[in-house]
Amino acid sequence: MTAALSAKGINKRFGSLVVAGDISFELPVGERCALIGPNGAGKTTLINLLTGMIEPDGGEIRLGGEDVTRMPPQQRVRRGLVRTFQINSLFPRLNPLEAVTLAVCERRGESRDFLSRLATKREAIEEAHDILKSLRIAHVCYRETRELAYGQQRLLEIALALATKPKVLLLDEPAAGVPKEDSGELFTVIDGLSRELTIFFIEHDMDVVFRFASRILVLVGGRLLLEGTPAEIAADERVREVYLGKAGHG
Amino acid sequence: MSLATPADIGPTEFLAARARWRPVEIVFWLAAITPYFIAADYLQLAGQILITGLFALSLDLILGYAGIVSLGHAAFFGLGAYATGIASKHGWGEPLTGLLIGGLVAGVVGFGASFIVARFRGLALIMITLGLDQIVAEAANSMGWLTGGADGLQGVKTWPILGLFRFDLYGVTAYWYALIVTFLFFLLVRRMVNSPFGLSLQGIRENSTRMLAIGARNHAHVRTVFTIAAFIAGVAGALLTETTETVSLETLSFQRSADVLVMLILGGVGQLYGGLVGALIYMVARDQFSDINPQYWYFWIGLLLVAVVVFLPNGIVGGVKKLGGLLGRRGT
Ligand SMILES: Nc1ncnc2c1ncn2[C@@H]1O[C@H](COP(=O)(O)OP(=O)(O)OP(=O)(O)O)[C@@H](O)[C@H]1O
Ligand SMILES: [Mg+2]
């Protein structure tokens, strides 16, 4: 079976700094794969490269077998490759219901309609509301996004991505800034998402990574140091040295 | 508006309620017809205010909803004004099709420009729209054989509306005509901003990067809204030509682009009524102040602008809405 997403020999440098050095990996359909690595390792950059927000200097990215290396980001999204952001990137003055409905309407091609009232798109609105319910933020969905609690905004990040009906979801530190006791719950919600959905997530909290990932990639200095099952990663000396050993993150 | 919403209202009903007509809007449009009854001397001014308000409304559509800052919106107003005027001078003075001519010419140029506009934001966009206005104004200036150049276009004659209503010296017909046309386009814009398309425009305004990350068609949306706004600005220009039966280079000037932006900011950007209210305040104030002390007119408007920007981030309409919200909350 073809991989949901594959990268082959991805390279990227910012000036003399190599942020992606010959990165290759494959994500089988439905996998929960974690990407770990110290600050500045190039994790966010890798997501930017995969989604087309940055162009690689070389290499090839395939989405379900199709070469998307030179495709603009919004077209990759429409083909099912969707990301969230490490730093909230939301619509501050829209409420969550509007924001998610907007994403649903864009997907359904209803966003070009300028002569119908939004409320006539009942199906899209209900779908948006269901997504908000599944992420447990439906009760605040009539409030402006900028008024929401930080944790609720993190969930809205994911809700927006889900509204596009992704095949591959790239989560950039979904629990960043969320208190440790709440991040477990957030990952339980993520883990409950459809098994057909392939999830690639960046996370610093090793407890969470070991609990939810079926496979782990370790990125150090822009290069993939290692990949393996949680047990293999936990046992690896090099990982202990470069990452677990000096784990400065909470 | 952040109304206190009961949690038990369904999502579709909630969104439907937001788009519903409010009593204050009905009061506003009823007030718009009062000059006919109580201020017959000011009907000429009232007609001008409506036309300028429509122009400002078209700017609000791109600036207030899609976040496209334009310092050259007069290009489309002037194109509409000249297109209609030139058609009239050459024998076609029928007013309704005249509006269409003005709107179409402005809309076609707007559509062409929208391909450039869609690719830029911020300062670059201000420069591009400014430059576009200068190009059009200079072209009109140098094509004196067509536009009359600095002397303005003479010989414009507007036929009676529907063959029935003649444009009179007191501006009665002009006032009603401007009111009805402005109201109809207001209805169109109101529907647009409450549509799925309008929601996407707000998404572009709020966070265009995130829009790309959810697969939105930003460029196509910007092209559409810019073209429609240009069309409406052209209709406003055509209205001015038809009701004044003359066109001058001033319709294309940078001054007009800047004035309409000032009016919109005074009234409130992205508030739907900001353009109309801003035009009203600006033009009534100019009319009053310039009688007393013409030199100081810009001093007062400058002061007002600074005060509004500092104290009322959403303009006068935003301030009134906030006040209404506070009173409403106390009342319930
Ligand atoms: N646009 C850019 N131009 C130049 N350098 C950049 C750019 N973006 C990122 N970098 C650098 O590339 C390196 C990798 O950054 P990146 O954000 O991918 O790290 P990360 O692994 O996501 O780190 P963190 O765990 O802190 O989120 C860093 O040294 C960063 O300073
Ligand atoms: Mg990062």
Side-chain angles (χ1 to χ4, degrees):
Chain A
M1 204 168 130
T2 47
L5 182 71
S6 69
K8 207 156 87 193
I10 300 294
N11 278 294
K12 180 73 191 179
R13 16 185 354 144
F14 288 126
S16 62
L17 178 71
V18 177
V19 279
D22 204 24
I23 296 180
S24 301
F25 64 92
E26 286 198 348
L27 299 179
V29 174
E31 188 170 52
R32 266 72 171 140
C33 178
L35 176 66
I36 65 171
N39 289 115
K43 303 182 296 297
T44 298
T45 304
L46 181 58
I47 286 194
N48 286 336
L49 288 164
L50 293 171
T51 53
M53 295 195 153
I54 296 178
E55 257 201 45
D57 299 333
E60 189 185 82
I61 299 158
R62 284 181 174 273
L63 178 63
E66 184 188 9
D67 186 351
V68 298
T69 317
R70 304 280 154 211
M71 194 180 277
Q74 61 281 27
Q75 282 182 30
R76 298 186 204 202
V77 173
R78 279 176 235 147
R79 282 170 171 73
L81 178 61
V82 186
R83 70 171 297 180
T84 66
F85 293 82
Q86 179 173 359
I87 298 164
N88 283 339
S89 178
L90 301 167
F91 306 108
R93 286 185 291 169
L94 299 185
N95 64 45
L97 179 63
E98 289 172 321
V100 179
T101 302
L102 154 55
V104 173
C105 284
E106 286 285 353
R107 189 197 79 227
R108 293 164 56 111
E110 289 173 331
S111 60
R112 286 194 204 89
D113 182 350
F114 59 78
L115 291 176
S116 311
R117 279 177 298 121
L118 181 61
T120 60
K121 310 293 180 197
R122 185 178 281 274
E123 261 182 56
I125 298 167
E126 295 290 342
E127 184 184 331
H129 196 245
D130 287 344
I131 292 170
L132 291 162
K133 264 195 279 193
S134 74
L135 289 171
R136 305 176 195 174
I137 45 174
H139 61 293
V140 290
C141 77
Y142 301 158
R143 284 202 214 141
E144 278 189 5
T145 298
R146 57 181 170 179
E147 294 171 9
L148 300 194
Y150 180 78
Q152 294 166 336
Q153 295 191 2
R154 290 311 285 163
L155 288 165
L156 181 54
E157 269 286 335
I158 300 169
L160 280 174
L162 291 179
T164 65
K165 285 229 172 116
K167 295 195 181 86
V168 180
L169 190 54
L170 311 176
L171 302 170
D172 193 349
E173 299 195 30
V178 175
K180 197 171 162 67
E181 55 274 23
D182 297 340
S183 72
E185 190 185 326
L186 189 137
F187 270 93
T188 309
V189 174
I190 294 170
D191 200 46
L193 297 171
S194 159
R195 278 283 139 191
E196 261 133 63
L197 182 59
T198 308
I199 300 179
F200 184 68
F201 66 97
I202 300 174
E203 175 55 51
H204 283 299
D205 183 341
M206 295 311 288
D207 294 342
V208 167
V209 169
F210 288 140
R211 228 163 68 227
F212 294 101
S214 47
R215 195 158 58 103
I216 299 172
L217 305 183
V218 185
L219 191 71
V220 178
R223 288 175 193 279
L224 278 185
L225 180 72
L226 180 72
E227 65 170 280
T229 63
E232 287 164 0
I233 298 298
D236 194 278
E237 269 311 309
R238 287 168 299 171
V239 174
R240 286 173 178 280
E241 227 170 86
V242 302
Y243 192 63
L244 299 179
K246 49 178 180 184
H249 311 284
Chain B
M1 257 179 297
S2 58
L3 295 163
T5 21
D8 54 354
I9 179 173
T12 308
E13 291 66 34
F14 174 80
L15 292 175
R18 294 199 124 195
R20 208 159 282 147
W21 279 80
R22 298 180 196 286
V24 58
E25 294 184 82
I26 296 163
V27 170
F28 177 90
W29 286 103
L30 287 177
I33 62 172
T34 54
Y36 178 71
F37 302 103
I38 61 169
D41 293 346
Y42 287 98
L43 282 187
Q44 216 117 33
L45 178 64
Q48 300 283 315
I49 290 171
L50 286 161
I51 292 168
T52 311
L54 178 61
F55 178 38
L57 176 66
S58 75
L59 180 63
D60 199 17
L61 193 53
I62 55 171
L63 175 59
Y65 291 88
I68 303 166
V69 189
S70 170
L71 251 185
H73 206 46
F76 304 109
F77 184 86
L79 276 167
Y82 272 104
T84 304
I86 290 165
S88 175
K89 185 183 175 180
H90 292 90
W92 187 255
E94 201 289 310
L96 297 182
T97 45
L99 294 182
L100 194 65
I101 291 168
L104 282 178
V105 169
V108 166
V109 175
F111 178 67
S114 74
F115 284 83
I116 304 172
V117 166
R119 297 176 47 219
F120 294 90
R121 293 190 77 76
L123 192 59
L125 199 49
I126 293 176
M127 291 304 124
I128 288 165
T129 51
L130 186 71
L132 182 76
D133 191 16
Q134 312 258 291
I135 292 167
V136 177
E138 199 44 49
N141 186 28
S142 57
M143 289 197 289
W145 54 272
L146 184 67
T147 62
D151 299 331
L153 189 70
Q154 308 299 329
V156 177
K157 282 259 43 100
T158 311
W159 303 349
I161 301 164
L162 304 170
L164 294 171
F165 305 99
R166 208 165 276 291
F167 284 90
D168 56 285
L169 274 179
Y170 308 102
V172 179
T173 307
Y175 160 76
W176 283 110
Y177 182 52
L179 179 59
I180 291 166
V181 172
T182 298
F183 182 63
L184 291 177
F185 277 97
F186 174 82
L187 290 183
L188 174 72
V189 172
R190 193 182 188 285
R191 171 56 61 87
M192 277 180 68
V193 303
N194 286 314
S195 70
F197 176 71
L199 186 57
S200 284
L201 293 184
Q202 294 173 59
I204 294 172
R205 177 194 72 200
E206 292 289 295
N207 190 343
S208 63
T209 312
R210 185 60 200 240
M211 285 293 275
L212 292 179
I214 57 172
R217 296 156 182 83
N218 287 9
H219 283 203
H221 292 328
V222 168
R223 286 199 299 270
T224 305
V225 76
F226 198 79
T227 304
I228 294 173
F231 181 93
I232 299 174
V235 168
L239 269 178
L240 184 70
T241 299
E242 292 178 347
T243 54
T244 59
E245 299 195 322
T246 166
V247 189
S248 75
L249 286 174
E250 185 278 327
T251 57
L252 285 165
S253 64
F254 168 71
Q255 185 69 48
R256 186 174 278 273
S257 292
D259 282 351
V260 74
L261 188 58
V262 169
M263 289 178 214
L264 182 60
I265 291 169
L266 283 179
V269 180
Q271 308 288 320
L272 197 58
Y273 283 86
L276 290 159
V277 170
L280 174 73
I281 289 167
Y282 187 96
M283 292 174 75
V284 167
R286 181 166 63 189
D287 187 64
Q288 296 299 314
F289 283 128
S290 56
D291 278 353
I292 306 167
N293 208 333
Q295 305 92 299
Y296 284 133
W297 150 244
Y298 270 103
F299 172 84
W300 293 111
I301 210 70
L303 196 66
L304 187 60
L305 188 61
V306 171
V308 164
V309 170
V310 170
F311 296 111
L312 299 171
N314 291 316
I316 291 163
V317 172
V320 170
K321 273 189 192 169
K322 200 167 176 186
L323 194 68
L326 290 178
L327 294 177
R329 208 166 291 169
R330 195 167 296 172
T332 49

